[in-house]
């Protein structure tokens, strides 16, 4: 038997520039996975149709961010020669697949999806006033994943309910129509500090509306400015006071970004490891400014290669558009293959083979 191919699929809604929370939470990992050589295929896509489920009245926002996010992808090191980068709405097969999946899911099952529940609350939809498109996006997300026969979906923990729902749809489909779809595994971020990076103000989440993000496209000066005003430890009033690491955003970011090599080099040997720096901070005698200086240096060192690649791609936006267009064409071929398998399994592949015509001829003869 042919060995099951390892296929990665993941994506983002193009509703804004990506920030360093996206970088440590997902982008950095995707680039590592891409470069690991362990995967037969890698699909990374912009979920523009999904973004429209709650931005249908502001399509311009989605339109403007498609290239912005593509630049974030490319500057982070996603390589169009190794990863297929594409746009969701350019794959009409996804709609077709979703349409059949809708038969396999009940309203109450979607209502029980914790991510949908929270989002309904956040958006203030009450009772039955939820737009159908928004309500069914977990079903369309199952189509996104299965159309490419993905085995591995690297996403944040907030997407766990989506993956569970997808796996249920796969099992339901395979039980009903035959073993056609691949059940995907979720691949969660490996570093605790990377699960969710707080905002620079210490709020639980980086979000554009809170104005507490550091963007991948921020200049070195912007990073300096943003780190300067970062939330630390409100009890650490004097340098000599003992400091607290818990909830201290500077140290959370250091956990997510710093390597001991960087800490040693950028503190000129004062601290051979991040742990020793933390110990000094906890004891007292290490000021916030010094910690912020180190964090700024590490962030800028990390982001500099991204900025450089971004500048190059910005010189060739037509080329970036072409990458997305060609990626979408290639992605569509895979989705169309899956669609053929699905139609065959569902026995609605009427004119693909002579079988149906022959059968009907016999029946009516
Ligand atoms: N829901 C995901 C998000 O908001 C984006 C997404 C859409 C996705 N379809 C997907 C992620 C399929 C992984 C696989 O971030």
């Amino acid at each position: 038997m042919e060995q099951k191919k390892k296929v990665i699929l993941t994506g983002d809604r193009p509703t804004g520039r990506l920030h360093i929370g996206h970088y440590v939470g997902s982008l950095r990992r995707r680039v590592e996975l891409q470069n690991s050589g362990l995967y037969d295929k890698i699909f990374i896509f912009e979920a523009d149709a999904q973004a429209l489920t709650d931005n249908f009245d502001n399509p311009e926002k989605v339109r403007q961010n498609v290239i912005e996010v593509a630049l974030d992808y490319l500057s982070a090191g996603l390589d169009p020669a190794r990863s297929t980068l594409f746009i969701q709405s350019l794959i009409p097969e996804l709609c077709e697949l979703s349409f059949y999946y809708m038969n396999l899911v009940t309203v109450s099952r979607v209502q029980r999806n914790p991510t949908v529940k929270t989002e309904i609350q956040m958006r203030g939809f009450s009772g039955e006033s939820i737009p159908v498109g928004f309500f069914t996006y977990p079903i369309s997300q199952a189509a996104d994943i299965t159309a490419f026969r993905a085995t591995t979906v690297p996403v944040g923990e907030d997407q766990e309910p989506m993956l569970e729902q997808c796996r249920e749809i796969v099992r339901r489909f395979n039980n009903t129509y035959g073993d056609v779809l691949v059940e995907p595994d979720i691949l969660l971020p490996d570093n605790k500090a990377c699960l969710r990076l707080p905002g620079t103000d210490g709020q639980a989440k980086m979000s554009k509306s809170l104005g507490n993000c550091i963007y991948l496209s921020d200049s070195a000066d912007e990073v300096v400015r943003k780190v300067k005003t970062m939330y630390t430890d409100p009890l650490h009033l004097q340098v000599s006071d003992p400091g607290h690491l818990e909830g201290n955003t500077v140290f959370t970011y250091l956990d997510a970004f710093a390597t001991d090599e960087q800490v040693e080099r950028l503190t000129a040997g004062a601290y051979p490891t991040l742990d020793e720096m933390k110990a000094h901070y906890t004891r007292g005698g290490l000021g916030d400014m010094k910690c912020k200086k180190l964090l700024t240096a590490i962030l800028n060192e990390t982001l500099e290669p991204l900025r450089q690649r971004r500048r190059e791609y910005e010189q060739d936006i037509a080329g970036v558009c072409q990458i997305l267009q060609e990626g979408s064409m290639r992605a569509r071929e895979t989705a169309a293959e899956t669609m053929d398998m699905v139609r065959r399994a569902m026995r609605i592949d009427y004119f693909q083979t002579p079988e149906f015509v022959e059968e009907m001829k016999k029946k009516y003869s």
Side-chain angles (χ1 to χ4, degrees), residues 286-304:
L286 174 57
D288 283 351
M289 259 346 275
K290 277 200 178 150
C291 304
K292 288 184 171 180
K293 271 231 166 76
L294 174 66
L295 177 61
T296 303
I298 288 176
L299 285 178
N300 276 334
E301 189 169 285
T302 308
L303 293 177
E304 197 41 47

Side-chain angles (χ1 to χ4, degrees), residues 9-13 45 47 50 88 119 137 140-141 144-145 153-155 158-159 162-163:
L9 175 129
T10 189
D12 305 276
R13 299 178 180 200
F45 78 107
Q50 188 178 104
Q88 184 186 26
E119 285 175 328
Y137 95 76
S140 105
Q141 186 156 335
D144 300 338
I145 296 167
V153 182
V155 280
D158 62 313
Q159 295 295 307
M162 297 298 158
L163 262 288

Side-chain angles (χ1 to χ4, degrees), residues 328-341:
S328 300
M329 274 163 57
R330 258 185 294 141
R332 203 176 165 191
E333 285 168 19
T334 304
E337 276 168 27
T338 304
M339 221 36 245
D340 279 342
M341 287 157 62

